[in-house]
Amino acid sequence: MNGRERIQAIFEGRPVDRLGLMPITMQFACRQIGAKYRDYCTDHRVLVEGQLRTAEKFDFDYVNTMSDPAREAADCGAAVEFFDEQPVALVEDRALLADKARLAGLRIPDPLGGGRMHNGIKALSLFKEKLNGEKWIEGWVEGPCAEAADLRGINTLMLDFFDDSGFVRDLFAFVVEMEMRFARAQVDAGADAIGIGDAAASLIGPQIYEEFVWPFEKKMVEGIQAMGAKVRLHICGNTRRILAGMGRLGCDVVELDSLAPIHLAREKMGPDQILLGNINPVTVMRDGTVELVRESIAECHRQAGPRYIISAGCEIPRDTPLENLQALTDYARRPAAIHA
């Protein structure tokens, strides 16, 4: 059973030979090939080489196109900064929609128009060519709250929920339409799944989440699934207060950060939701011992039960010891683990 077959079987509820293994690696993957992270973010060939090298070395079941959250915003015309050894950053004090009136004239960029989104799509095409069905291929889009924060400025958006709810809904509607076009192009290029990253949603309370964010996340989830792709939801941070809502989205897999206990997610989301995570990427993966990693993954698996895929709570830090990441692989390969 290869990685693609394994993840497909997990999603379909069929027997597998071992646990799935889908950790997020970006800067770590770049380091495996000795490239500058600026190039990993801007040259799809560098990203693909780093992902393939890492997936082969640690026997991951998948590859992904993530590099930073600024692709879509940059193609819209937002001010971003590039650095040699860290992710692309949005310049919040020069937010594209600092003036709300600009939303009315903002045009959705063409995902195939030669910009940063197009670079990600080229990565998917190259993955499909090189992998020949051996591993699960995952694309990525920003969620409604995260992308709205990128375009408007995160601090200003938080005030908008109270000061101008109509504008927020208009902005979210723009984001969903843009992300659906981007997702469609990624699926056409070879993505088996699309990850939705909505980190900013962890900063709001359950009432605002349910009223504003959840309906637009739901549109994205259903829209992507209608394209024939699976959906991985990733919301960084403390999502304890919105776990029930996340569970009602109908995502194929929900990834949990280390601040959100898996046992609580299982309680809120029920026995059938596939969970992924949530080892602390810093205190355990980067700074811990191999034994601590083993203990942590075993505990995550115990809390999640059989509907579980191995990952850290968020990105594997770039200077994580190789033996610590190998410990995840070793646990996944244990035949007894799938019955734990």
Side-chain angles (χ1 to χ4, degrees):
M1 182 171 275
N2 65 31
R4 188 175 188 277
E5 292 167 342
R6 184 175 297 114
I7 298 303
Q8 185 72 37
I10 291 171
F11 284 151
E12 294 175 358
R14 294 186 282 110
V16 291
D17 57 339
R18 69 167 217 204
L19 286 176
L21 186 60
M22 298 177 66
I24 295 174
T25 58
M26 295 185 283
Q27 294 181 81
F28 181 93
C30 182
R31 178 160 286 192
Q32 303 312 298
I33 59 171
K36 292 185 182 299
Y37 199 65
R38 177 193 295 263
D39 295 332
Y40 188 91
C41 294
T42 58
D43 186 338
H44 70 281
R45 295 164 297 185
V46 176
L47 184 151
V48 168
E49 182 184 357
Q51 282 290 303
L52 292 179
R53 182 83 59 86
T54 304
E56 180 180 2
K57 186 172 186 176
F58 296 98
D59 200 17
F60 290 175
D61 293 314
Y62 91 126
V63 292
N64 70 65
T65 61
M66 284 182 287
S67 64
D68 62 271
R71 278 182 180 145
E72 296 95 309
D75 283 2
C76 285
V80 300
E81 288 188 78
F82 292 86
F83 307 92
D84 281 347
E85 298 300 343
Q86 65 185 28
V88 183
L90 289 138
V91 184
E92 184 165 357
D93 61 3
R94 293 165 54 199
L96 183 66
L97 295 180
D99 178 0
K100 290 186 290 187
R102 293 192 64 182
L103 177 61
L106 193 61
R107 296 293 176 258
I108 292 174
D110 180 1
L112 300 176
R116 297 205 65 221
M117 287 190 282
H118 198 179
N119 186 64
I121 292 165
K122 288 178 180 178
L124 290 164
S125 297
L126 190 54
F127 277 141
K128 187 174 183 180
E129 173 189 329
K130 289 183 173 292
L131 285 168
N132 196 29
E134 287 296 314
K135 293 189 183 294
W136 190 255
I137 300 174
E138 184 178 83
W140 204 262
V141 297
E142 293 299 298
C145 199
E147 185 61 24
D150 292 343
L151 295 171
R152 175 70 168 148
I154 191 164
N155 293 300
T156 310
L157 178 66
M158 294 300 152
L159 297 174
D160 289 335
F161 284 118
F162 300 94
D163 296 340
D164 196 342
S165 60
F167 168 76
V168 172
R169 290 189 175 92
D170 289 344
L171 176 53
F172 281 8
F174 173 89
V175 168
V176 169
E177 184 177 354
M178 175 174 67
E179 301 297 359
M180 287 300 94
R181 292 188 191 181
F182 188 23
R184 176 75 269 174
Q186 293 182 71
V187 173
D188 289 346
D192 296 303
I194 300 293
I196 298 175
D198 210 12
S202 69
L203 303 177
I204 59 178
Q207 182 176 343
I208 292 177
Y209 177 77
E210 291 286 344
E211 181 179 352
F212 290 94
V213 180
W214 190 90
F216 291 94
E217 286 182 344
K218 183 67 171 175
K219 287 181 181 179
M220 292 182 69
V221 171
E222 291 181 345
I224 292 168
Q225 290 172 335
M227 298 172 193
K230 303 297 185 183
V231 174
R232 171 183 186 163
L233 179 68
H234 177 89
I235 301 180
C236 303
N238 189 347
T239 54
R240 294 172 189 239
R241 296 179 298 171
I242 61 172
L243 287 173
M246 291 165 61
R248 288 188 288 104
L249 288 169
C251 300
D252 298 282
V253 58
V254 173
E255 187 161 25
L256 300 166
D257 206 344
S258 57
L259 295 171
I262 284 187
H263 71 84
L264 186 58
R266 179 57 72 211
E267 175 187 323
K268 298 290 186 181
M269 298 183 189
D272 297 326
Q273 176 67 64
I274 299 172
L275 300 177
L276 191 154
N278 71 335
I279 303 172
N280 190 300
V282 177
T283 62
V284 176
M285 291 305 306
R286 190 191 69 181
D287 298 340
T289 63
V290 169
E291 185 57 35
L292 179 59
V293 175
R294 290 173 182 157
E295 292 172 356
S296 298
I297 190 61
E299 179 59 20
C300 288
H301 187 198
R302 185 192 69 78
Q303 292 184 24
R307 300 290 281 165
Y308 178 66
I309 296 174
I310 294 175
S311 177
C314 197
E315 178 188 4
I316 300 290
R318 65 185 179 190
D319 49 354
T320 295
L322 301 185
E323 58 270 23
N324 283 6
L325 191 51
Q326 183 64 41
L328 298 187
T329 303
D330 292 343
Y331 186 91
R333 285 173 172 167
R334 294 169 53 212
I338 58 173
H339 304 296

